[in-house]
Amino acid sequence: MEQKKFEDLKDVLNEWIRLDYILPEDIPSIELYMDQITTFMEKGLRGNKRNEDDKILTKTMINNYSKNNLLPPSNKKKYSKDHIILLIYIYYLKNFLSINDIQNLLKPMNEQHFGQDVNMTLSEIYSHIFQLEREYGVKIQESVQYIYETACQQYEDDNDYLKTFSMILLLSYDIYAKKQLVEKLIDSMAQPIDSKAEKKEAKEREKKAKENARKKQK
């Protein structure tokens, strides 16, 4: 990326923080194989990559998510729309949360909404949150511009390094404070899954999910 003067950053900040996203209506309703899912995710989110050779999602990642109970098992190596929605959530959350935190956060989602046609479906939840995120994106842009202006006013006009350094630290503080809040919110939802009883319960749910998947195929 070409080095820019601090004064030139103001015009590109909104572009830099604009993320690629997957529209609710673009998520396939049919079941997909693993290769099809990785291709779909790569196409939909490739604009979020820092480096061209970075991977959005791999087979190894999907298998690890299943092993760690973040993702329910596939149906004869096929994955549903609900699986894809969960993978989108995991893609964003893994950037700042531990596997254990993501597991605790998604556990109620998997138990109460995955594969369910009653109450709120995962598709309905995704559409609702997607709309909220788009609206909140405007607030994020305003916040970033405020931080830019604040950093710009602190040093001499030609001191681009200290201005940029200040902006990075202010943004980092914002991220750190919100990460702390997210972790506290997760802790308030449920205790970590670490007891033998809870692990046994998780295995029973996984076994039941596989049995239900086999019955649907008959």
Side-chain angles (χ1 to χ4, degrees):
M1 182 179 295
E2 180 184 355
Q3 185 173 353
K4 295 181 179 292
K5 292 184 178 181
F6 191 80
E7 63 184 18
D8 297 330
L9 295 180
K10 187 173 184 179
D11 296 329
V12 297
L13 288 176
N14 287 343
E15 178 185 344
W16 285 357
I17 64 173
R18 187 177 297 117
L19 301 175
D20 273 3
Y21 45 77
I22 295 176
L23 295 170
E25 59 267 28
D26 288 342
I27 302 175
S29 296
I30 60 173
E31 292 184 322
L32 300 179
Y33 287 106
M34 193 178 289
D35 284 339
Q36 293 173 308
I37 289 181
T38 56
T39 300
F40 171 77
M41 294 282 282
E42 182 71 25
K43 182 179 179 181
L45 300 173
R46 60 189 174 191
N48 298 340
K49 297 193 294 185
R50 183 175 184 179
N51 302 303
E52 185 60 32
D53 57 350
D54 292 341
K55 298 294 183 182
I56 297 295
L57 185 67
T58 66
K59 294 180 181 180
T60 301
M61 291 178 189
I62 295 176
N63 287 329
N64 285 338
Y65 298 154
S66 295
K67 289 178 183 177
N68 286 283
N69 296 318
L70 274 66
L71 193 71
S74 63
N75 179 19
K76 293 187 176 180
K77 297 184 177 181
K78 285 188 175 183
Y79 295 84
S80 66
K81 184 175 184 178
D82 282 1
H83 281 110
I84 297 174
I85 290 172
L86 288 176
L87 286 169
I88 294 172
Y89 289 149
I90 294 169
Y91 165 76
Y92 290 110
L93 294 170
K94 70 177 183 177
N95 288 283
F96 59 93
L97 289 179
S98 68
I99 292 296
N100 191 61
D101 277 339
I102 299 174
Q103 182 183 1
N104 287 327
L105 178 60
L106 294 182
K107 179 184 176 184
M109 185 72 70
N110 290 333
E111 292 177 348
Q112 301 171 24
H113 301 283
F114 184 88
Q116 302 296 321
D117 294 328
V118 295
N119 299 322
M120 288 197 73
T121 65
L122 266 177
S123 295
E124 291 170 335
I125 294 170
Y126 183 83
S127 296
H128 184 225
I129 294 178
F130 178 83
Q131 183 59 39
L132 293 176
E133 288 173 344
R134 295 194 70 174
E135 294 171 0
Y136 184 62
V138 177
K139 301 295 184 182
I140 294 176
Q141 291 178 0
E142 293 173 353
S143 174
V144 170
Q145 290 293 342
Y146 171 78
I147 290 174
Y148 170 85
E149 297 292 349
T150 300
C152 191
Q153 295 168 9
Q154 302 307 307
Y155 302 101
E156 299 293 334
D157 290 343
D158 60 347
N159 203 329
D160 285 356
Y161 168 73
L162 286 182
K163 290 179 182 180
T164 304
F165 183 80
S166 296
M167 184 171 184
I168 290 171
L169 265 293
L170 288 171
L171 288 168
S172 298
Y173 175 79
D174 184 72
I175 293 168
Y176 180 76
K178 290 177 179 176
K179 180 177 181 291
Q180 290 283 94
L181 176 58
V182 167
E183 290 173 347
K184 296 297 183 184
L185 288 169
I186 292 174
D187 291 344
S188 73
M189 292 172 62
Q191 294 299 314
I193 302 175
D194 56 4
S195 71
K196 291 183 179 180
E198 287 171 322
K199 289 180 179 179
K200 182 178 179 180
E201 182 184 345
K203 288 183 178 179
E204 288 295 327
R205 287 197 302 272
E206 182 178 352
K207 181 180 178 181
K208 186 175 180 181
K210 289 181 178 179
E211 291 175 352
N212 290 336
R214 284 197 295 267
K215 289 179 181 179
K216 289 182 180 179
Q217 294 299 310
K218 293 181 180 181

